[in-house]
């Protein structure tokens, strides 16, 4: 998926993906256990073993702000 989203609403945390940042598919939902301001998120890209052609990982729009199309 092109877009990943973790959001909280009404005491529940939602993990969602989207191909276009407009239509979202919920992958997992659970009750929120910690306040969102107490969470530190790290995202990384890579492989577990050395490879001759590793490819490219891009993370864009990672700033914690909601996109206009996000629920």
């Amino acid at each position: 998926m092109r877009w990943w989203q973790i959001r909280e609403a009404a005491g529940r945390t939602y993990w969602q993906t989207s191909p276009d940042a407009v239509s979202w598919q919920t992958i997992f939902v659970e009750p929120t256990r910690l306040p969102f301001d107490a969470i530190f998120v790290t995202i990384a890209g890579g492989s577990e073993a050395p490879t001759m052609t590793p490819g490219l990982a891009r993370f864009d729009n990672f700033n914690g702000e909601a996109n206009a199309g996000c629920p």
Side-chain angles (χ1 to χ4, degrees), residues 7-15 29-34 36:
R7 68 180 180 91
E8 193 277 340
R12 298 183 67 77
T13 302
Y14 297 81
W15 283 261
V29 181
E30 72 175 348
T32 301
R33 297 180 184 178
L34 295 171
F36 258 45

Side-chain angles (χ1 to χ4, degrees), residues 18-67:
S18 173
D20 56 12
V22 175
S23 57
W24 292 92
Q25 177 182 358
T26 299
I27 304 301
F28 187 72
V29 181
E30 72 175 348
T32 301
R33 297 180 184 178
L34 295 171
F36 258 45
D37 61 358
I39 296 172
F40 181 80
V41 176
T42 301
I43 296 178
S47 63
E48 293 184 17
T51 179
M52 294 298 291
T53 54
L56 178 67
R58 289 188 190 179
F59 300 100
D60 192 9
N61 298 328
F62 180 69
N63 60 14
E65 297 177 11
N67 181 19

Side-chain angles (χ1 to χ4, degrees), residues 1-4 17-20 25:
M1 282 295 165
R2 185 174 178 134
W3 294 88
W4 301 340
T17 60
S18 173
D20 56 12
Q25 177 182 358

